Amino acid sequence: MADCIFCQIIDGEIPSRTVYEDEDVLAFLDVNPLARGHTLVIPKAHEAAAADLPGDVRDALFTAVGRLAPAVEAAVGADASTIGMNNGPASGQEVPHGHVHVVPRFEGDGVGPLHALDWPAPELDDDEFDDVQAAISDRA
Ligand code: 5GP
Ligand code: ZN
């Protein structure tokens, strides 16, 4: 996609601090890191959503994430990492080329878990759990 920033990075038209590359995947440092070592792992195929990637590319993407998370942690002396994907505009995805964030985490960094985000968490009764379980499993 000509007007996609990440496609331009893949094509070398925009420079990036690349840390890993294979046939299907590129990983580079986020230009605006949430922590030192914050890395973006992207498929070379342009799709906005994880669900739209061909299965083999999705496999390659998440295989690379599994490889990169310990590499990123070790490189910056992190104790852990948060791995996440903003998957669609309503989730806050700003670059419409699917990407996985690997953000180094440190004991006492005070950020908290994904559950610490300001979710409007619903209180579900058993019937509502049953309904949503069925609705998802019917489509999975
Ligand atoms: P999103 O909100 O779409 O999940 O995250 C997009 C991420 O891409 C942001 O963390 C932002 O800092 C990063 N980003 C945006 N443009 C560039 C760029 O040109 N180069 C690099 N390395 N990162 C970028
Ligand atoms: Zn793209």
Side-chain angles (χ1 to χ4, degrees):
M1 280 258 299
D3 59 352
C4 170
I5 292 172
F6 286 176
C7 284
Q8 291 171 27
I9 286 176
I10 291 164
D11 291 342
E13 293 162 14
I14 293 178
S16 72
R17 295 186 183 276
T18 296
V19 297
Y20 175 79
E21 180 168 15
D22 64 30
E23 191 181 343
D24 295 312
V25 174
L26 184 71
F28 52 90
L29 297 184
D30 195 298
V31 75
N32 206 356
L34 297 173
R36 202 163 71 89
H38 181 173
T39 295
L40 300 175
V41 191
I42 72 172
K44 290 184 176 175
H46 178 95
E47 295 291 352
D52 295 330
L53 290 169
D56 57 335
V57 175
R58 200 160 56 223
D59 290 349
L61 177 65
F62 284 96
T63 295
V65 169
R67 171 184 180 143
L68 281 156
V72 168
E73 291 172 21
V76 299
D79 301 303
S81 53
T82 292
I83 294 171
M85 185 168 187
N86 295 319
N87 195 35
S91 71
Q93 183 179 5
E94 291 184 351
V95 177
H97 180 129
H99 51 280
V100 179
H101 294 261
V102 178
V103 186
R105 298 294 307 275
F106 300 85
E107 294 287 354
D109 64 15
V111 177
L114 289 175
H115 277 67
L117 293 174
D118 198 12
W119 303 99
E123 299 252 341
L124 302 183
D125 62 25
D126 279 347
D127 288 343
E128 290 168 316
F129 271 114
D130 288 346
D131 287 348
V132 74
Q133 177 186 3
I136 294 170
S137 60
D138 285 353
R139 293 167 171 80

